[in-house]
Structures are given as C-alpha cells and as structure tokens.
Amino acid sequence: MKKELNKNTIDAETAKKPLEIFMVEDNATDIKLAEIAFRDTAVSNNFSVVMDGYEALEFLHQRGAYTTARKPDLVLLDLNLPKISGLEVLATMMNDPKLSDIPVAIMTASESDKDIQTSTSLNAKFFVQKPVDFGRFIEMIDRMKTGGFML
C-alpha cells in the first residue's frame, strides 16, 4: 500500500537525512557565526561555504573543484559578494530548472528596499539583515526553522 505524504509529514528515512546547507559569504566572522549556530541546532546538517559569487555558481553547477558537491537543501546568500553579486547568483539559480526549487535565504547588511524587492521578485524565500551578535544570529536561525526551511 502506498503511503500518502503531505508537506508536513516526514518519513523516518527523510528525518535521518542531514540537511545540506550551502552558505555564500565573504566575511569570515559571519561564516564562523553561522557554523557555530548550525552546529548548535538540533538539525543534523552538512555545511558548505564559498566566499564569492563565481565559486557559488561553480558549486551549484557542480563544476571545477565541485564536481561531487551535493545539491543544497538551503542556500544562505549574501548580496554583496566579490566577482559575481548575490543578486546575479540568485537570478541564475531561479532561471535554472535544476536549481530553482532550492530555497534561498538572503542574509545581507543591506537595508535597501530595492534589494528586498529584487530578491523577493527573484523568489528568495527569506530576507534578513545580518545580525551583529551571536545571540541575534541564533534568533535568525530559529526564525528560519519556524519558517519551514529546516525540519
């Protein structure tokens, strides 16, 4: 008998699978905060990081040094990146049928309404201003969990 699953039902095998989190961030401090925050959550995860937009696209398309990279379950994307901007990475993802289903959380220092509107129009699922301290970073991760990005 075939078991019907809805989006709120998780079978035992899926629940054991680690969440593939891919962070695109050029600030080493923000990367460290994210690594600690995700390590301290109850969510089992694999955490991958690149530091510029070009490397992000290489990773997502499994090219170059990233031929064995796993498809992310969640992308944490900074907008202000070297080489290729975060908005360009997001636009490329949303125009690629193999990548457009990956939820993207924009994490940026920008408060620009234009950045928010552009990110939203490109189907970013979450837009947050980067927290300045660890406690707020943990709060942001918790908001992502309650927003359905992490099980």
Side-chain angles (χ1 to χ4, degrees), residues 15-22 34-48 70 73-74 76 141 145 149-151:
K16 291 179 186 177
K17 179 184 174 255
L19 189 66
E20 297 293 332
I21 300 170
F22 177 49
E35 288 173 337
I36 293 167
F38 280 104
R39 185 180 60 224
D40 290 347
T41 68
V43 178
S44 174
N45 64 76
N46 294 320
F47 194 81
S48 302
R70 294 183 180 149
D73 295 308
L74 173 66
L76 305 175
I141 299 302
K145 288 193 307 192
F149 289 114
M150 294 177 277
L151 305 173

Short mmCIF file of all heavy atoms in Angstrom, two decimals, residues 15-22 34-48 70 73-74 76 141 145 149-151:
data_model
loop_
_atom_site.label_atom_id
_atom_site.label_comp_id
_atom_site.label_asym_id
_atom_site.label_seq_id
_atom_site.Cartn_x
_atom_site.Cartn_y
_atom_site.Cartn_z
N ALA A 15 13.81 11.95 7.76
CA ALA A 15 14.15 12.63 9.02
C ALA A 15 15.61 12.41 9.39
O ALA A 15 16.21 13.26 10.04
CB ALA A 15 13.24 12.15 10.13
N LYS A 16 16.20 11.28 9.00
CA LYS A 16 17.59 10.98 9.33
C LYS A 16 18.58 11.66 8.38
O LYS A 16 19.73 11.79 8.69
CB LYS A 16 17.82 9.47 9.30
CG LYS A 16 17.11 8.73 10.41
CD LYS A 16 17.37 7.24 10.29
CE LYS A 16 16.56 6.48 11.31
NZ LYS A 16 16.73 5.03 11.16
N LYS A 17 18.11 12.06 7.22
CA LYS A 17 18.99 12.65 6.21
C LYS A 17 19.44 14.04 6.66
O LYS A 17 18.61 14.89 6.99
CB LYS A 17 18.24 12.75 4.88
CG LYS A 17 19.04 13.37 3.77
CD LYS A 17 18.18 13.50 2.53
CE LYS A 17 18.92 14.26 1.47
NZ LYS A 17 18.45 15.63 1.32
N PRO A 18 20.76 14.28 6.68
CA PRO A 18 21.22 15.62 7.08
C PRO A 18 20.79 16.68 6.06
O PRO A 18 20.71 16.42 4.87
CB PRO A 18 22.74 15.50 7.09
CG PRO A 18 23.05 14.06 6.96
CD PRO A 18 21.84 13.38 6.40
N LEU A 19 20.50 17.86 6.56
CA LEU A 19 20.16 18.98 5.72
C LEU A 19 21.45 19.51 5.08
O LEU A 19 22.44 19.72 5.77
CB LEU A 19 19.52 20.06 6.60
CG LEU A 19 18.89 21.26 5.92
CD1 LEU A 19 17.69 20.84 5.10
CD2 LEU A 19 18.45 22.26 6.98
N GLU A 20 21.42 19.70 3.77
CA GLU A 20 22.58 20.25 3.04
C GLU A 20 22.45 21.77 3.01
O GLU A 20 21.60 22.31 2.30
CB GLU A 20 22.65 19.69 1.62
CG GLU A 20 22.84 18.19 1.52
CD GLU A 20 24.19 17.71 2.03
OE1 GLU A 20 25.18 18.49 1.96
OE2 GLU A 20 24.26 16.57 2.49
N ILE A 21 23.28 22.45 3.79
CA ILE A 21 23.24 23.91 3.87
C ILE A 21 24.46 24.46 3.13
O ILE A 21 25.59 24.06 3.39
CB ILE A 21 23.24 24.38 5.33
CG1 ILE A 21 22.00 23.83 6.05
CG2 ILE A 21 23.28 25.91 5.40
CD1 ILE A 21 22.02 24.03 7.55
N PHE A 22 24.20 25.39 2.22
CA PHE A 22 25.26 26.00 1.42
C PHE A 22 25.26 27.50 1.69
O PHE A 22 24.27 28.18 1.44
CB PHE A 22 25.02 25.71 -0.05
CG PHE A 22 26.01 26.34 -0.98
CD1 PHE A 22 27.38 26.24 -0.76
CD2 PHE A 22 25.58 27.02 -2.11
CE1 PHE A 22 28.29 26.82 -1.63
CE2 PHE A 22 26.48 27.59 -2.99
CZ PHE A 22 27.84 27.49 -2.75
N ALA A 34 27.76 31.45 11.62
CA ALA A 34 26.80 30.51 11.02
C ALA A 34 27.18 29.07 11.32
O ALA A 34 26.31 28.25 11.66
CB ALA A 34 26.71 30.73 9.52
N GLU A 35 28.46 28.75 11.20
CA GLU A 35 28.90 27.38 11.50
C GLU A 35 28.55 27.00 12.94
O GLU A 35 28.04 25.91 13.20
CB GLU A 35 30.40 27.24 11.27
CG GLU A 35 30.78 27.24 9.81
CD GLU A 35 32.29 27.27 9.58
OE1 GLU A 35 33.05 27.71 10.48
OE2 GLU A 35 32.71 26.86 8.50
N ILE A 36 28.82 27.91 13.87
CA ILE A 36 28.51 27.63 15.28
C ILE A 36 27.01 27.52 15.48
O ILE A 36 26.52 26.59 16.14
CB ILE A 36 29.11 28.73 16.19
CG1 ILE A 36 30.63 28.67 16.15
CG2 ILE A 36 28.59 28.60 17.62
CD1 ILE A 36 31.32 29.88 16.76
N ALA A 37 26.25 28.43 14.90
CA ALA A 37 24.80 28.43 15.06
C ALA A 37 24.19 27.14 14.53
O ALA A 37 23.33 26.54 15.18
CB ALA A 37 24.18 29.63 14.36
N PHE A 38 24.63 26.70 13.37
CA PHE A 38 24.07 25.47 12.80
C PHE A 38 24.57 24.24 13.55
O PHE A 38 23.84 23.26 13.67
CB PHE A 38 24.36 25.36 11.30
CG PHE A 38 23.41 26.18 10.49
CD1 PHE A 38 23.80 27.39 9.94
CD2 PHE A 38 22.10 25.75 10.28
CE1 PHE A 38 22.92 28.16 9.19
CE2 PHE A 38 21.22 26.51 9.55
CZ PHE A 38 21.62 27.71 9.00
N ARG A 39 25.76 24.28 14.07
CA ARG A 39 26.27 23.15 14.86
C ARG A 39 25.47 23.02 16.15
O ARG A 39 25.23 21.92 16.63
CB ARG A 39 27.75 23.35 15.17
CG ARG A 39 28.38 22.16 15.88
CD ARG A 39 29.85 22.35 16.19
NE ARG A 39 30.03 23.51 17.07
CZ ARG A 39 30.96 24.43 16.90
NH1 ARG A 39 31.82 24.35 15.91
NH2 ARG A 39 31.06 25.46 17.73
N ASP A 40 25.04 24.15 16.69
CA ASP A 40 24.31 24.14 17.96
C ASP A 40 22.81 23.89 17.81
O ASP A 40 22.10 23.83 18.79
CB ASP A 40 24.52 25.47 18.70
CG ASP A 40 25.94 25.60 19.23
OD1 ASP A 40 26.68 24.60 19.23
OD2 ASP A 40 26.31 26.72 19.62
N THR A 41 22.30 23.76 16.58
CA THR A 41 20.88 23.45 16.41
C THR A 41 20.68 21.96 16.51
O THR A 41 21.61 21.16 16.40
CB THR A 41 20.36 23.93 15.03
OG1 THR A 41 20.96 23.15 14.01
CG2 THR A 41 20.61 25.40 14.81
N ALA A 42 19.45 21.57 16.69
CA ALA A 42 19.11 20.14 16.77
C ALA A 42 18.99 19.54 15.37
O ALA A 42 18.74 18.36 15.22
CB ALA A 42 17.80 19.97 17.52
N VAL A 43 19.19 20.36 14.34
CA VAL A 43 19.06 19.90 12.97
C VAL A 43 20.37 19.29 12.50
O VAL A 43 21.41 19.94 12.53
CB VAL A 43 18.67 21.08 12.05
CG1 VAL A 43 18.58 20.64 10.61
CG2 VAL A 43 17.37 21.71 12.51
N SER A 44 20.32 18.04 12.08
CA SER A 44 21.51 17.40 11.51
C SER A 44 21.78 18.04 10.16
O SER A 44 20.88 18.16 9.32
CB SER A 44 21.24 15.90 11.35
OG SER A 44 22.31 15.29 10.68
N ASN A 45 23.02 18.50 9.94
CA ASN A 45 23.30 19.18 8.69
C ASN A 45 24.74 19.01 8.23
O ASN A 45 25.63 18.74 9.02
CB ASN A 45 22.96 20.67 8.81
CG ASN A 45 23.82 21.39 9.81
OD1 ASN A 45 24.98 21.68 9.54
ND2 ASN A 45 23.28 21.66 10.98
N ASN A 46 24.90 19.17 6.93
CA ASN A 46 26.22 19.30 6.30
C ASN A 46 26.30 20.76 5.87
O ASN A 46 25.37 21.29 5.27
CB ASN A 46 26.35 18.39 5.09
CG ASN A 46 26.32 16.92 5.49
OD1 ASN A 46 26.90 16.53 6.49
ND2 ASN A 46 25.62 16.12 4.71
N PHE A 47 27.41 21.40 6.18
CA PHE A 47 27.55 22.84 5.98
C PHE A 47 28.71 23.10 5.01
O PHE A 47 29.85 22.75 5.30
CB PHE A 47 27.83 23.49 7.34
CG PHE A 47 27.66 24.97 7.37
CD1 PHE A 47 26.41 25.54 7.49
CD2 PHE A 47 28.76 25.81 7.28
CE1 PHE A 47 26.25 26.91 7.54
CE2 PHE A 47 28.62 27.18 7.32
CZ PHE A 47 27.36 27.73 7.45
N SER A 48 28.40 23.69 3.84
CA SER A 48 29.42 24.02 2.85
C SER A 48 29.45 25.53 2.66
O SER A 48 28.40 26.19 2.74
CB SER A 48 29.10 23.36 1.50
OG SER A 48 29.01 21.97 1.64
N ARG A 70 27.04 18.23 -3.27
CA ARG A 70 25.64 17.82 -3.17
C ARG A 70 24.75 19.02 -3.41
O ARG A 70 25.07 20.15 -3.03
CB ARG A 70 25.36 17.24 -1.80
CG ARG A 70 26.10 15.96 -1.55
CD ARG A 70 25.73 15.41 -0.20
NE ARG A 70 26.45 14.16 0.01
CZ ARG A 70 26.84 13.73 1.18
NH1 ARG A 70 26.58 14.43 2.25
NH2 ARG A 70 27.48 12.60 1.29
N ASP A 73 19.92 21.88 0.23
CA ASP A 73 18.52 21.95 0.64
C ASP A 73 18.15 23.39 0.99
O ASP A 73 16.98 23.75 1.01
CB ASP A 73 18.28 21.07 1.88
CG ASP A 73 18.49 19.60 1.57
OD1 ASP A 73 17.89 19.10 0.60
OD2 ASP A 73 19.26 18.95 2.31
N LEU A 74 19.17 24.20 1.29
CA LEU A 74 19.00 25.60 1.65
C LEU A 74 20.27 26.36 1.28
O LEU A 74 21.37 25.89 1.57
CB LEU A 74 18.74 25.74 3.16
CG LEU A 74 18.71 27.15 3.75
CD1 LEU A 74 17.52 27.94 3.21
CD2 LEU A 74 18.66 27.10 5.27
N LEU A 76 22.16 29.99 1.91
CA LEU A 76 22.27 31.25 2.65
C LEU A 76 23.14 32.16 1.81
O LEU A 76 24.32 31.87 1.59
CB LEU A 76 22.91 31.02 4.02
CG LEU A 76 22.25 29.97 4.91
CD1 LEU A 76 23.08 29.77 6.18
CD2 LEU A 76 20.83 30.37 5.25
N ILE A 141 18.43 31.98 12.98
CA ILE A 141 18.37 30.56 12.63
C ILE A 141 17.07 29.97 13.13
O ILE A 141 16.40 29.21 12.41
CB ILE A 141 19.59 29.80 13.20
CG1 ILE A 141 20.90 30.35 12.64
CG2 ILE A 141 19.46 28.30 12.95
CD1 ILE A 141 21.04 30.32 11.15
N LYS A 145 14.00 28.12 11.08
CA LYS A 145 13.40 26.82 11.42
C LYS A 145 11.89 26.94 11.51
O LYS A 145 11.17 26.10 10.97
CB LYS A 145 13.97 26.30 12.74
CG LYS A 145 15.40 25.84 12.64
CD LYS A 145 15.88 25.06 13.81
CE LYS A 145 15.69 25.71 15.13
NZ LYS A 145 16.41 25.07 16.23
N PHE A 149 12.15 26.24 6.79
CA PHE A 149 13.33 25.94 6.00
C PHE A 149 14.11 24.75 6.54
O PHE A 149 14.85 24.12 5.83
CB PHE A 149 14.27 27.15 5.93
CG PHE A 149 13.70 28.24 5.08
CD1 PHE A 149 13.36 29.44 5.64
CD2 PHE A 149 13.48 28.04 3.74
CE1 PHE A 149 12.81 30.44 4.87
CE2 PHE A 149 12.93 29.04 2.96
CZ PHE A 149 12.60 30.24 3.53
N MET A 150 13.96 24.50 7.84
CA MET A 150 14.69 23.40 8.45
C MET A 150 13.72 22.58 9.27
O MET A 150 12.89 23.13 9.97
CB MET A 150 15.82 23.94 9.34
CG MET A 150 16.88 24.65 8.55
SD MET A 150 18.13 25.35 9.61
CE MET A 150 17.36 26.88 10.09
N LEU A 151 13.85 21.29 9.17
CA LEU A 151 12.94 20.41 9.89
C LEU A 151 13.44 20.13 11.29
O LEU A 151 14.57 20.20 11.56
CB LEU A 151 12.78 19.09 9.11
CG LEU A 151 12.33 19.31 7.67
CD1 LEU A 151 12.38 17.99 6.93
CD2 LEU A 151 10.96 19.91 7.61
#
